[in-house]
Structures are given as structure tokens and as C-alpha cells.
Amino acid sequence: MPRFSDSEKEIIHNRLLDKGEHLFIQHGIKKVTIADLTKAAGIAAGSFYSFYESKESLFVEIVIRKQDTVYASVKRELNAQRHLSPKELANHIVKRLFHDFC
């Protein structure tokens, strides 16, 4: 198995996250294989296991990354829209989240 430099590891890691998210959304976690993930990321099948122990591990990291993005977006909106009433603020945040993530 090839050794990757730190910068290569970071690139591959991000590529697995991005390509994995796309594949999981498109096909669902059950239908996506390690071969699909490694082909999309441009790495050998065995190299996948240098990054994740399973496709489920990759999926969980993708979900956590998406959750972090949502939390950061909500925090920014809460800080930027403090002048709104709680009801208006809640409505604004829900609309913003659906706009950003759907």
C-alpha cells in the first residue's frame, strides 16, 4: 500500500468526504460500495482502510461534518438577527436552513 504525505492524506480525506456524500445522497448507504467510494476518490481499494474502517465510519463523519455546518449557520443567523422577536427569528432560521441545505 502506498504511503501518502500529510498533504496527500488531507486531499484524499476531503475527497472521500465529498465524493462519499455525493454517492450516499445519490444511491443510499446500502448500495454504495467501498469500490464505488475508492473509484470516485481516485485511490486503491486497500487505501480506503487507511482512512476509515468501513463505509459506515465514513458516513458518520459526513453526517457530523454536515451537522457542524448547520450549527455554524444557525449560530451566524442568531447573532446577525438578534433584533427579531423569538417567533420571527425561529421563522427566519427555518427558512434560511431550508434555503441553504435543500
Side-chain angles (χ1 to χ4, degrees):
M1 191 167 355
R3 291 196 169 250
F4 300 111
S5 69
D6 289 342
S7 62
E8 288 172 322
K9 286 178 185 177
E10 185 175 340
I11 290 167
I12 293 167
H13 180 251
N14 288 326
R15 202 178 310 143
L16 282 167
L17 289 168
D18 294 340
K19 300 297 185 177
E21 180 177 348
H22 176 75
L23 288 169
F24 291 140
I25 288 170
Q26 193 173 32
H27 303 290
I29 191 169
K30 285 187 176 185
K31 290 188 179 180
V32 174
T33 65
I34 299 295
D36 296 331
L37 294 164
T38 56
K39 181 179 178 183
I43 60 172
S47 296
F48 177 86
Y49 297 100
S50 297
F51 295 90
Y52 297 98
E53 69 178 47
S54 65
K55 69 178 180 181
E56 292 80 9
S57 297
L58 171 60
F59 179 80
V60 168
E61 187 169 337
I62 291 167
V63 170
I64 290 168
R65 183 174 74 159
K66 188 58 77 176
Q67 177 185 0
D68 290 345
T69 303
V70 170
Y71 284 168
S73 179
V74 169
K75 186 175 181 178
R76 277 191 309 275
E77 288 301 315
L78 286 171
N79 288 328
Q81 304 298 331
R82 288 179 182 220
H83 63 279
L84 298 175
S85 71
K87 184 176 181 177
E88 291 171 321
L89 184 56
N91 190 30
H92 174 79
I93 289 172
V94 168
K95 285 180 182 177
R96 182 64 185 229
L97 285 175
F98 278 105
H99 179 266
D100 288 350
F101 300 106
C102 294

